[in-house]
């Protein structure tokens, strides 16, 4: 079902590893040039900045084209007519994404990804407008309206599988959040259903990863597994799942009154048990994404423990949490550095590739784009009282104002 061949993706993966190794000095220039010639791929790629520009421009172009079509060719159309055309737009966008990959050989280029994203949006909007007249956010929506988020989840999973887009899997997880609301009004049951969805997906992904160790699919499944672990954690953490989060945290434990006490305190036990399990899984697999998910879950447990127990929160709590995290990071770094050769069980505190440097550069550039005025100084205003004049140069006594 993958749109790209296994050999092409393996070649791109080897080329990325080659670039990292060469950037850290593990390869000589001659070795890098020789190996670079052996990892030439026919797929067309681009950098993160051009990807962002192409992605946004394609989204704007597709949206503008759809709006122009509706204005020119549809005068006062009914809701069902608009929905049918949205479904047609969805099919056209998906077909264009397939053609962009198969003919132009684009790989995470931005254009084909934006077309795939537009196809999902048009599909959901078209189904809603064609078959359902009520709003999906109404207090009592039509029971059959669950087909809209269900279709979005299934189609997003297909795009993730077909194009290899990790955020398409995240979109499928978000669509799955809306499904239990159409089936039951019990908040406890909704949390359990969402957690069951994610747990089922985690079991499938874990089984698939075991068959693809040390190849390109291992890298593709890694962020997906991390997202599923975080999804399960967020589904069972009732303090983080509340819509009125800030008022709840600073004004009491309103979430405790919305759920039965056995269910509430069971979730409290689970949010303490899940982070060690995730961390153990990541350490066993040596998977940085899963380790990061476990660390995030552990931090969220510390942050939400006081609201769970109904304890009063103080303004110095973030400071104490920062001191604790700094001390833990310092201890782990020192413990790894004191191992034989700075390595303990395959882990080291030393940076072994240029990926961290690359993402730090990307983050710095992104921060500069978001806040250019904080980086670039404003124009200097000169004072009208400042005047340079009366200078003399040379032995000829030449003078003048400057």
């Amino acid at each position: 079902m993958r749109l790209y061949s296994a050999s092409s993706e393996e070649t791109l993966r080897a080329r990325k590893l080659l670039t990292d190794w060469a950037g850290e000095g593990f390869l000589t220039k001659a070795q890098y040039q020789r190996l670079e010639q052996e990892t030439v791929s026919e797929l067309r790629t681009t950098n993160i900045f051009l990807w962002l520009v192409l992605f946004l421009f394609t989204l704007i172009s597709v949206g503008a084209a759809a709006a122009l079509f509706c204005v020119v060719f549809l005068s006062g159309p009914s809701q069902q007519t608009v929905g049918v055309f949205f479904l047609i737009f969805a099919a056209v966008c998906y077909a264009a994404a397939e053609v962009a990959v198969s003919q132009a050989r684009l790989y995470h280029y931005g254009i084909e990804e934006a077309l795939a994203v537009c196809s999902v949006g048009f599909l959901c909007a078209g189904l809603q407008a064609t078959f359902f007249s009520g709003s999906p956010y109404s207090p009592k929506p039509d029971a059959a309206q669950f087909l809209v988020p269900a279709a979005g989840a299934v189609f997003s999973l297909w795009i993730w599988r077909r194009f290899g887009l990790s955020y398409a899997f995240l979109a499928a997880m978000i669509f799955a959040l809306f499904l239990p609301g159409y089936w039951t009004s019990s908040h406890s049951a909704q949390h359990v259903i969402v957690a069951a969805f994610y747990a089922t997906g985690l079991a499938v992904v874990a089984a698939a990863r075991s068959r693809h160790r040390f190849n390109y699919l291992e890298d593709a499944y890694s962020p997906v597994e991390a997202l599923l672990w975080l999804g399960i954690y967020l589904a069972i953490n009732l303090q983080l799942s509340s819509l009125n989060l800030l008022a709840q945290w600073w004004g009491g434990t309103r979430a405790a009154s919305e759920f039965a006490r056995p269910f509430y305190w069971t979730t409290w036990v689970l949010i303490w048990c899940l982070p060690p399990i995730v961390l153990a899984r990541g350490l066993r697999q040596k998977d940085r994404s899963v380790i990061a998910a476990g660390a995030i879950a552990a931090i969220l447990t510390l942050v939400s423990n006081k609201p769970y127990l109904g304890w009063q929160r103080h303004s110095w709590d973030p400071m104490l949490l920062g001191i604790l995290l700094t001390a833990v990071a310092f201890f782990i770094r020192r413990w790894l550095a004191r191992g034989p050769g700075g390595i303990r069980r395959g882990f080291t505190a030393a940076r072994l590739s240029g990926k961290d440097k690359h993402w730090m550069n990307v983050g710095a550039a992104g921060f500069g784009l978001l806040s250019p005025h904080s980086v670039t100084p404003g124009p200097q205003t000169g004072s009208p009282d400042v005047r340079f004049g009366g200078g003399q140069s040379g032995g000829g006594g030449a003078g003048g104002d400057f």
Side-chain angles (χ1 to χ4, degrees):
M1 293 188 297
R2 194 83 166 186
L3 191 55
Y4 306 99
S5 63
S7 59
S8 299
E9 297 212 62
E10 283 287 6
T11 301
L12 286 177
R13 179 172 179 267
R15 196 174 184 86
K16 292 179 181 178
L17 293 174
L18 180 63
T19 303
D20 292 339
W21 296 340
E24 293 301 316
F26 298 148
L27 299 175
T28 64
K29 185 177 181 179
Q31 291 174 329
Y32 174 76
Q33 292 177 351
R34 184 172 66 253
L35 293 174
E36 187 182 26
Q37 295 175 356
E38 299 176 2
T39 56
V40 177
S41 175
E42 77 279 5
L43 299 179
R44 299 173 61 183
T45 60
T46 186
N47 58 65
I48 183 64
F49 302 104
L50 186 57
W51 174 91
L52 182 61
V53 171
L54 293 175
F55 186 87
L56 293 177
F57 279 9
T58 305
L59 285 180
I60 295 173
S61 299
V62 172
L68 180 62
F69 180 88
C70 293
V71 170
V72 174
F73 296 99
L74 301 177
S75 57
S78 64
Q79 180 177 337
Q80 287 74 17
T81 302
V82 174
V84 170
F85 278 101
F86 277 173
L87 294 177
I88 296 174
F89 293 153
V92 171
C93 288
Y94 180 77
E98 290 269 353
V99 171
V101 173
S102 60
Q103 301 298 324
R105 307 304 297 162
L106 302 182
Y107 182 83
H108 295 186
Y109 208 79
I111 298 175
E112 81 287 1
E113 298 186 33
L115 291 171
V117 170
C118 289
S119 66
V120 177
F122 281 132
L123 174 65
C124 294
L127 290 176
Q128 178 65 36
T130 303
F131 301 103
F132 307 103
S133 58
S135 171
Y137 307 104
S138 60
K140 294 183 179 180
D142 189 352
Q145 285 190 19
F146 81 92
L147 294 175
V148 176
V154 172
F155 197 44
S156 297
L157 287 176
W158 169 256
I159 289 178
W160 163 70
R161 186 63 177 169
R162 186 69 169 165
F163 295 88
L165 307 180
S166 298
Y167 57 82
F169 192 91
L170 177 60
M173 293 177 61
I174 295 175
F175 279 119
L177 288 175
F178 298 97
L179 293 176
Y182 296 96
W183 301 335
T184 177
S185 60
S186 172
H187 291 173
S188 301
Q190 292 176 8
H191 284 267
V192 172
I193 292 173
V194 172
F197 279 155
Y198 294 163
T200 303
L202 180 62
V204 174
V205 170
R209 288 193 68 178
S210 62
R211 301 191 301 267
H212 299 283
R213 294 287 292 170
F214 308 113
N215 62 16
Y216 71 98
L217 286 178
E218 171 74 11
D219 297 337
Y221 283 126
S222 174
V224 169
E225 181 175 346
L227 288 174
L228 288 170
W229 279 116
L230 282 177
I232 294 173
Y233 177 84
L234 293 176
I236 64 177
N237 192 326
L238 304 182
Q239 294 294 332
L240 296 178
S241 304
S242 175
L243 296 178
N244 196 16
L245 189 60
L246 293 178
Q248 172 184 310
W249 279 25
W250 295 99
T253 57
R254 294 182 56 188
S257 61
E258 299 176 3
F259 303 94
R261 289 182 63 85
F263 180 78
Y264 182 82
W265 293 113
T266 300
T267 59
W268 178 76
V269 174
L270 289 176
I271 66 171
W272 281 99
C273 296
L274 191 59
I277 296 175
V278 181
L279 286 173
R281 166 73 176 176
L283 293 173
R284 190 184 308 114
Q285 298 289 328
K286 292 183 173 59
D287 190 327
R288 298 183 65 179
S289 298
V290 178
I291 293 174
I296 293 173
I299 295 173
L300 292 177
T301 297
L302 296 175
V303 170
S304 58
N305 184 56
K306 274 193 172 183
Y308 248 107
L309 300 177
W311 294 352
Q312 182 181 1
R313 296 181 62 86
H314 302 284
S315 57
W316 59 79
D317 288 345
M319 179 185 66
L320 297 179
L321 178 62
I323 294 174
L324 175 63
L325 296 179
T326 303
V328 171
F330 182 76
F331 171 77
I332 294 176
R333 183 179 180 86
R334 290 289 299 273
W335 180 72
L336 291 175
R338 290 179 178 178
I343 300 174
R344 289 183 185 269
R345 297 182 180 181
F347 293 92
T348 179
R351 180 167 54 85
L352 298 180
S353 69
K355 291 183 179 180
D356 299 334
K357 186 188 302 183
H358 168 73
W359 286 111
M360 288 179 65
N361 293 335
V362 171
F367 178 78
L369 291 175
L370 292 176
S371 55
H373 297 292
S374 63
V375 179
T376 305
Q380 301 294 329
T381 58
S383 174
D385 297 333
V386 178
R387 180 175 181 272
F388 298 95
Q392 295 183 346
S393 173
D401 294 339
F402 294 88

